[in-house]
Amino acid sequence: MAALLPELFFPISDPQKTRAMFKACVERVMVETSSYCNRRCSYCPTAQVDRFTKRDYMPDRMRDKIAAELAEIDYEKTIVLHFYNEPLADERICEHIALFARACPKAKVELFSNGDYLDAEYLQRLADAGLKSLWISMHLGNNVEWKDELIIRRLCQLAMRLGVLPDVSIFWSNMVLQAVLPHPTIEIKISHKNFPRFGGSDRAGSVSNVVINDTTKEAGFTCFIPFSELYVSWNGTVVPCCDIHPELAMHSDYRIGRINDFPDIFAAFASEKLVQWRTSLADRSGYRKPCDTCQTKICNPTLRDQVGNFYQAVSDLQRQAAHSAVA
């Protein structure tokens, strides 16, 4: 778990404090370098926006600024060059990986992909660029229902293209597939679910054809993402978590702003809107939309209590300080 600091619950603007908080708390930075996705999966909100007929890219100046700022604090956690796009469809992805790997040599550069563009030669270029982690999903098609034989066929086709033998760790018929592909320098994991039947996410209310587990409303479930992660889309839109789509109209009220609206990424993480998200997850009043049906929350009563108790203690200190100032 990332560090819990009082500053997480109060907007701060001091550059030294924002940098210190970011370095201590943020475990994952997601930077989307391009917009295009070659699939329109029904369980993904990208199917509701146009990321299929056009290709947009994060401006180099924005990308370079983010990388340079992470380098300033010697960032050493995880940098994900992906969001609601297919990163391997971008012919410059190896350049982006190399840039962030050089800027933050202690960090782990990671990708999520549908694997459609991947072959042995491409995988080697990703490794040479400095990629350390690759998650692959076995999407079947926009309107194709899960069938065990189709999933296995997709896995075998990918393995043949890469010339490796997958190690299947979990296979629940009509439910879940998890496997590992051996590689000397990249951790490659395959993970896919039958989302309409098992463990899907409604993506902040934007997707309806997935199973929603009502047990996530119970007290033991908690979300820590806005405390420990930062998401920046290809056009600089900052959102509080992975379930908020940066271009979906129904999610417009959930956006934090544009990265260029802030002096740097540290100020974005310390902004008032993200403070409001963190406070709403910690104040014990119950999850509000869109978090009330979120499937990303984890069952960890200890973590939930720890966040809630910490927030309560910080709030009490603030009230005492305000009372003393008035007195």
Side-chain angles (χ1 to χ4, degrees):
M1 186 184 74
L4 272 176
L5 299 176
E7 290 85 355
L8 286 165
F9 298 107
F10 304 99
I12 56 176
S13 57
D14 180 273
Q16 289 186 333
K17 290 183 178 180
T18 58
R19 280 165 168 74
M21 181 175 70
F22 194 101
K23 185 174 178 64
C25 298
V26 177
E27 296 186 324
R28 187 161 78 156
V29 180
M30 189 166 281
V31 181
E32 185 182 56
T33 58
S34 62
S35 68
Y36 176 78
C37 185
N38 63 309
R39 289 181 176 266
R40 294 175 174 175
C41 301
S42 61
Y43 40 80
C44 176
T46 289
Q48 303 174 40
V49 300
D50 185 11
R51 286 184 165 216
F52 190 79
T53 65
K54 59 181 180 178
R55 301 190 184 213
D56 294 301
Y57 301 92
M58 175 175 281
D60 286 353
R61 181 178 299 180
M62 183 183 297
R63 177 205 63 182
D64 295 350
K65 184 173 184 292
I66 293 172
E69 288 167 358
L70 292 175
E72 287 177 13
I73 62 168
D74 192 24
Y75 186 74
E76 54 187 13
K77 300 298 178 58
T78 301
I79 302 170
V80 187
L81 300 182
H82 161 264
F83 196 7
Y84 278 106
N85 65 326
E86 171 45 52
L88 297 187
D90 179 6
E91 64 277 4
R92 294 179 59 198
I93 190 61
C94 290
E95 173 187 325
H96 303 321
I97 293 169
L99 173 73
F100 280 91
R102 288 193 302 269
C104 305
K106 298 177 185 176
K108 177 173 72 174
V109 181
E110 184 172 76
L111 289 182
F112 287 71
S113 171
N114 57 38
D116 291 350
Y117 296 86
L118 193 62
D119 58 24
E121 186 272 336
Y122 203 161
L123 184 61
Q124 185 58 53
R125 287 196 287 123
L126 294 170
D128 293 342
L131 188 68
K132 296 301 180 185
S133 177
L134 176 62
W135 291 79
I136 303 174
S137 294
M138 297 280 97
H139 303 289
L140 292 175
N142 298 338
N143 298 301
V144 179
E145 294 185 5
W146 175 297
K147 287 186 174 61
D148 290 350
E149 59 269 28
L150 295 180
I151 286 290
I152 294 299
R153 184 184 304 165
R154 284 268 294 138
L155 178 61
C156 291
Q157 290 171 344
L158 177 63
M160 290 177 64
R161 293 204 309 270
L162 299 181
V164 296
L165 184 64
D167 180 8
V168 178
S169 54
I170 297 177
F171 185 72
W172 297 345
S173 179
N174 206 30
M175 289 288 188
V176 178
L177 168 69
Q178 290 186 11
V180 173
L181 293 177
H183 190 275
T185 61
I186 304 176
E187 181 183 24
I188 306 175
K189 293 183 178 180
I190 295 173
S191 179
H192 197 60
K193 297 178 181 179
N194 186 354
F195 294 110
R197 290 197 58 188
F198 180 81
S201 170
D202 71 352
R203 297 296 184 180
S206 65
V207 176
S208 60
N209 66 332
V210 295
V211 170
I212 301 299
N213 185 352
D214 287 339
T215 59
T216 58
K217 296 180 181 180
E218 298 174 0
F221 282 81
T222 189
C223 176
F224 205 59
I225 290 177
F227 295 81
S228 60
E229 302 182 13
L230 185 70
Y231 294 78
V232 185
S233 78
W234 67 269
N235 63 5
T237 300
V238 180
V239 294
C241 79
C242 54
D243 283 329
I244 306 300
H245 197 289
E247 295 169 36
L248 200 63
M250 68 177 296
H251 289 173
S252 60
D253 290 341
Y254 306 145
R255 299 168 191 159
I256 304 304
R258 292 290 182 94
I259 198 69
N260 288 338
D261 297 337
F262 305 96
D264 47 44
I265 57 172
F266 317 118
F269 183 71
S271 66
E272 183 174 358
K273 282 192 174 182
L274 264 179
V275 165
Q276 292 171 356
W277 276 86
R278 293 191 282 263
T279 299
S280 71
L281 295 173
D283 67 2
R284 302 181 188 274
S285 63
Y287 288 121
R288 297 179 285 275
K289 287 187 179 298
C291 302
D292 54 340
T293 60
C294 177
Q295 298 293 289
T296 307
K297 298 192 293 290
I298 60 173
C299 185
N300 190 327
T302 301
L303 177 58
R304 178 69 185 268
D305 290 344
Q306 184 176 354
V307 173
N309 292 338
F310 186 84
Y311 171 71
Q312 188 63 51
V314 170
S315 299
D316 290 345
L317 288 173
Q318 286 290 113
R319 282 192 292 270
Q320 291 173 12
H323 179 75
S324 298
V326 171

